[in-house]
Structures are given as C-alpha cells and as structure tokens.
Amino acid sequence: MKNMPKKIFKKRAGVTLIETLIAAAIIGLSLPCAFGAFGKLSMAEIKLQDRVDKASCAEWWLNRLPANPTPDDLDAMPTEYKTSGAKPRAFFRWKIERGDYDSFIVILSVANGYDGDASFVAKLVY
C-alpha cells in the first residue's frame, strides 16, 4: 500500500453572505423587468385585437354603402353594430367633407364605447 496515492480532501468554501446578497440583488432587478415586459406584451396584444375588431366593423359599415352614396344614404346607415349579445359591439359616427373636383370624403369613426377608448378612423373618397 505504499504506492497508493493519498486522497486529499480539500475543504470546500461555502457561499458567503456577499455572494448571496449579490444574487438576491440580480434577481430583484431582473424579475420586475421581466414582469413589466410580459405586461407590455399582453397589453399590446389586447390593443391589436381591439384595433382589428374596430377595423372589421368599419369594413362591415363601409360595405353596406352603395357605390355612389348620397347624404341621404349616409343618414340611413346604422349607428351601431350588434352581435348576438344585447350590448353593441361598435358605435359609428361619420361626417362628410368636400374634396377636390366635386368629390366628397366620408370620414368614419368606430368606437366600442369604453372609457379611454381610441377610435378607429377610416376615410373614403367618392
């Protein structure tokens, strides 16, 4: 047994208080940033879906117009869009402006009626 190597056990150093505090600080700074980014991403998806819904309602309204609408045709257009539920899905407001060369511009505004809602605006020239 003389040729057998000696097993040398080194004492392993533990985690110090400074290392623990640094790790806690890194986690404390990175978690709020990650949760903030996740929240912004979720809100962006909700806003995008809301804009798509309003755009599809505007398309529905504009498709109901005749080829060469008159102001009387616009007055007969619906002011809200309802689905199977009792609450309207979209509210419509429009105005007419005179354009060049005897044309007129229909400016359609689509809103869903919630507080802080940003309207979707579409313009068509006739």
Side-chain angles (χ1 to χ4, degrees), residues 89-102:
R89 185 171 148 193
F91 296 97
F92 304 106
R93 287 189 333 255
W94 58 90
K95 63 181 179 179
I96 302 171
E97 292 182 358
R98 282 281 172 212
D100 296 335
Y101 307 108
D102 292 331

Side-chain angles (χ1 to χ4, degrees), residues 13-49:
V15 178
T16 64
L17 179 61
I18 297 295
E19 291 170 334
T20 305
L21 291 176
I22 290 173
I26 291 171
I27 290 172
L29 291 174
S30 63
L31 282 180
C33 292
F35 288 137
F38 181 72
K40 286 182 182 180
L41 186 64
S42 298
M43 285 305 298
E45 183 180 355
I46 291 169
K47 288 179 182 178
L48 180 64
Q49 184 61 43

Side-chain angles (χ1 to χ4, degrees), residues 59-114:
E59 184 179 8
W60 173 84
W61 192 89
L62 292 169
N63 285 336
R64 295 176 64 92
L65 280 176
N68 291 317
T70 63
D72 292 333
D73 291 334
L74 290 171
D75 289 339
M77 293 297 290
T79 58
E80 57 187 40
Y81 176 69
K82 288 186 178 181
T83 54
S84 60
K87 192 172 183 181
R89 185 171 148 193
F91 296 97
F92 304 106
R93 287 189 333 255
W94 58 90
K95 63 181 179 179
I96 302 171
E97 292 182 358
R98 282 281 172 212
D100 296 335
Y101 307 108
D102 292 331
S103 66
F104 65 94
I105 303 167
V106 176
I107 302 170
L108 175 67
S109 177
V110 182
N112 59 14
Y114 295 121

